[in-house]
Amino acid sequence: QVRLVESGGGKVQAGGSLSLSCAASEYKTSRFSVAWFRQVLGKGREAVAAISPGGSWTEYAASVKGRFTISRDNVNNTVTLEMGSLKPEDTAMYYCAATSYGGWDKPLNEATYTWWGQGTQVTVSV
């Protein structure tokens, strides 16, 4: 069982920046693809960004491309989401997710991921 713990959420004004971190309990997470999703209460979960096991490949949702950057540190088993130029519509609960699936055909598909964290809230005010 892989346990994922998100941190770094909070409140920020529009135009500001936040950095989210996802820490994994399993040392073998360097073999896993990891993604960030977000969800607004009452709406479906939306993919934000994904990164391949070695970090060579990344994928972003159109809504965040150019503003968010996903990266990973496989020595410390962490994945970071750097969020810049934040907008009120970025307000959501952010979740990280991991999968041992070795393919990269659907990195932003929720069904690809097996393990999920509990989430961290990001609130962007005008």
Side-chain angles (χ1 to χ4, degrees):
Q1 181 72 16
V2 176
R3 191 168 72 95
L4 303 172
V5 179
E6 303 94 337
S7 62
K11 297 180 180 180
V12 65
Q13 287 190 322
S17 302
L18 275 178
S19 179
L20 304 184
S21 182
C22 174
S25 62
E26 171 59 58
Y27 74 97
K28 292 181 180 177
T29 51
S30 60
R31 302 181 185 181
F32 300 165
S33 292
V34 176
W36 285 93
F37 290 78
R38 64 188 182 187
Q39 187 171 23
V40 176
L41 194 62
K43 296 187 177 181
R45 198 170 287 179
E46 174 191 20
V48 176
I51 189 165
S52 61
S56 298
W57 299 333
T58 57
E59 190 77 17
Y60 295 91
S63 59
V64 307
K65 193 172 291 186
R67 299 189 298 123
F68 290 11
T69 301
I70 189 170
S71 62
R72 67 188 301 159
D73 177 354
N74 284 340
V75 173
N76 294 304
N77 290 335
T78 57
V79 173
T80 299
L81 183 69
E82 299 283 353
M83 306 186 295
S85 301
L86 283 162
K87 305 174 182 179
E89 50 264 43
D90 293 317
T91 295
M93 184 72 79
Y94 282 71
Y95 299 89
C96 71
T99 179
S100 58
Y101 172 61
W104 188 248
D105 47 313
K106 297 179 180 179
L108 296 182
N109 189 321
E110 184 177 347
T112 295
Y113 296 89
T114 305
W115 300 284
W116 294 81
Q118 294 300 305
T120 185
Q121 178 67 37
V122 171
T123 302
V124 184
S125 60
V126 296

